[in-house]
């Protein structure tokens, strides 16, 4: 209000420069810079002439009292007040300063890596992917010497006693219980066997019924030793595994690769489901880290997801924007710089905020209460850019998908806006008064 009164007296001095000051004012107060009219007649005269300007001044006073100037967002003080006001805070969140301890806690919360899913199997005892299971279709070939049990006429194809004959049995389906039916061999439980083990079992069953039988078994349709690859690939399919031991990038390539070749690999997320455990990693991370390109196991499900990660910036920055990461990792410092950083004339560098729904484990370690059964909770991280050491912390603070950065307005910004508004409204009147005089 003092700023407004001083500005109004200044405007009066500009409008009536010919008036002089009474240096011996009756109250004993000496004014040397402001115009004071002497007589009541002069006051009335000047008052009538300045009704228009009085109306403008009254309007400006009303505007200042209503605090109705537009703003791009709250100040640091308003954010802190809202955090402790139950009526304004519909979500129970906390404001936490960015410090080295916080960086260490966030860095320790690494999402499940693909290598962690493969930890139960050593290189010396890898899981087999050449076994038979329910749903498989088998091709069994039987070679016999002399009188052939499986030939159409029960005789060999030639008169030679040592001549062998091959007979291909009809395709054998492994039922839901893991059994097959072999002619003259009866029912066999084959689930978990390899093809060589099954061939030996059939040979043993036919040993006393056929002359020197030799059996070969081949898996025609391999359901057990396969993985499902789907999502953002060109050819979603069931990919059979071989003894060559395919890796996760191999099966993605066998499914045709990404369906959006013009997009960066950073925009793709690989979701692996194994033994009711789920892990996600950016495709680029798997390509750059061979330890994450793990060997596939029968029953794995691989989903390729096109999911461009992004963050938003609001407040007193060069521009309000939504940006994509475009890189596997993005720090808070990089994210702020992409938006142009805080504006000198508007921003409060002490109050750079990052809004995030954080995992419940992290919130508990930070001492923030979490609702029962909740997996995430709201939190605001505050960065003070007036502290030089915090620039190093900003380089270690990793951004996540859908993070929001807010750069608070400086408290003095409201006065400068108000002063500019007064100047815009009054300047034409001052100019017109000078022209009339």
């Amino acid at each position: 209000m003092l700023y407004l009164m001083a500005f109004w007296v200044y405007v009066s001095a500009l409008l009536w420069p010919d008036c002089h000051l009474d240096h011996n004012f009756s109250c004993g107060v000496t004014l040397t810079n402001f115009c004071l009219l002497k007589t009541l007649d002069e006051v009335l005269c000047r008052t009538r002439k300045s009704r228009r300007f009085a109306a403008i001044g009254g309007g400006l006073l009303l505007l200042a009292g209503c605090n109705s100037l537009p703003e791009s967002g709250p100040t640091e003080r308003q954010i802190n007040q809202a955090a402790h006001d139950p009526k304004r805070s519909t979500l129970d969140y906390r404001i936490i300063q960015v410090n080295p301890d916080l960086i260490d806690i966030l860095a320790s919360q690494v999402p499940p890596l693909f290598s962690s899913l493969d930890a139960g199997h050593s290189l010396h005892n890898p899981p087999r992917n050449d076994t038979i299971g329910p749903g498989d279709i088998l091709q069994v070939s039987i070679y016999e010497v002399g009188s052939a049990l499986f030939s159409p006429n029960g005789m060999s194809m030639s008169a030679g006693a040592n001549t062998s004959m091959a007979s291909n049995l009809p395709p054998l389906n492994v039922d839901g219980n893991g059994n097959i039916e072999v002619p003259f061999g009866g029912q066999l439980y084959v689930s978990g066997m390899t093809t060589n083990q099954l061939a030996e079992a059939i040979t043993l069953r036919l040993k006393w019924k056929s002359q020197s039988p030799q059996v070969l078994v081949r898996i025609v349709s391999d359901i057990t030793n396969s993985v499902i690859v789907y999502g953002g690939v060109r050819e979603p399919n069931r990919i059979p595994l071989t003894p060559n031991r395919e890796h996760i990038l191999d099966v993605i390539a066998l499914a045709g690769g990404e369906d959006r070749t013009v997009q960066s690999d950073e925009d793709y997320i690989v979701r692996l489901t194994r033994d009711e455990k789920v892990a996600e990693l950016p495709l680029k991370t798997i390509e750059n880290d061979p330890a994450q390109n793990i060997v596939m196991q029968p029953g794995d499900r691989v989903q390729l997801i096109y999911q461009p990660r992004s963050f938003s910036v609001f407040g007193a920055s060069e521009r309000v924007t939504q940006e994509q990461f475009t890189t596997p990792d993005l720090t808070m410092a990089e994210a702020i710089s992409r938006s142009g950083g805080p504006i000198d004339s508007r921003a409060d560098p002490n109050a750079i905020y990052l809004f995030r729904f954080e995992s419940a484990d992290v919130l508990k370690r930070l001492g923030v209460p979490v609702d029962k059964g909740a997996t995430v909770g709201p939190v605001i991280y505050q960065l003070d850019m007036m502290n030089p050491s915090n620039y190093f912390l900003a380089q270690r603070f990793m951004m996540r998908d859908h993070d929001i950065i807010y750069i608070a307005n400086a408290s003095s910004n409201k006065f400068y806006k108000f002063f500019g508004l007064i100047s815009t409204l009054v300047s034409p009147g001052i100019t017109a008064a000078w022209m009339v005089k």
Side-chain angles (χ1 to χ4, degrees), residues 236-316:
N237 205 344
R238 183 189 297 272
I239 306 297
L241 300 177
T242 68
N244 191 47
R245 301 183 57 78
E246 287 79 6
H247 293 70
I248 190 168
L249 291 180
D250 297 334
V251 298
I252 292 177
L254 291 172
E258 309 100 306
D259 58 355
R260 299 172 184 255
T261 56
V262 297
Q263 299 296 332
S264 172
D265 288 348
E266 289 86 358
D267 294 332
Y268 281 93
I269 301 296
V270 180
R271 178 180 296 166
L272 173 62
T273 304
R274 173 180 293 177
D275 297 331
E276 298 183 355
K277 297 179 181 179
V278 180
E280 293 182 354
L281 281 179
L283 178 60
K284 196 66 175 180
T285 301
I286 304 174
E287 294 172 344
N288 294 335
D289 185 2
Q292 306 311 317
N293 187 26
I294 62 176
V295 176
M296 292 284 92
Q297 297 181 17
D300 285 348
R301 304 180 70 87
V302 179
Q303 181 181 9
L304 196 61
I305 305 172
Y306 177 68
Q307 182 176 303
R309 296 164 298 157
S310 63
F311 67 95
S312 302
V313 181
F314 296 93

Side-chain angles (χ1 to χ4, degrees), residues 207-222:
K207 183 177 181 179
W208 305 108
K209 300 179 181 180
S210 175
Q211 185 175 355
S212 300
Q214 300 291 321
V215 180
L216 296 178
V217 178
R218 182 171 61 92
I219 301 177
V220 178
S221 177
D222 196 349

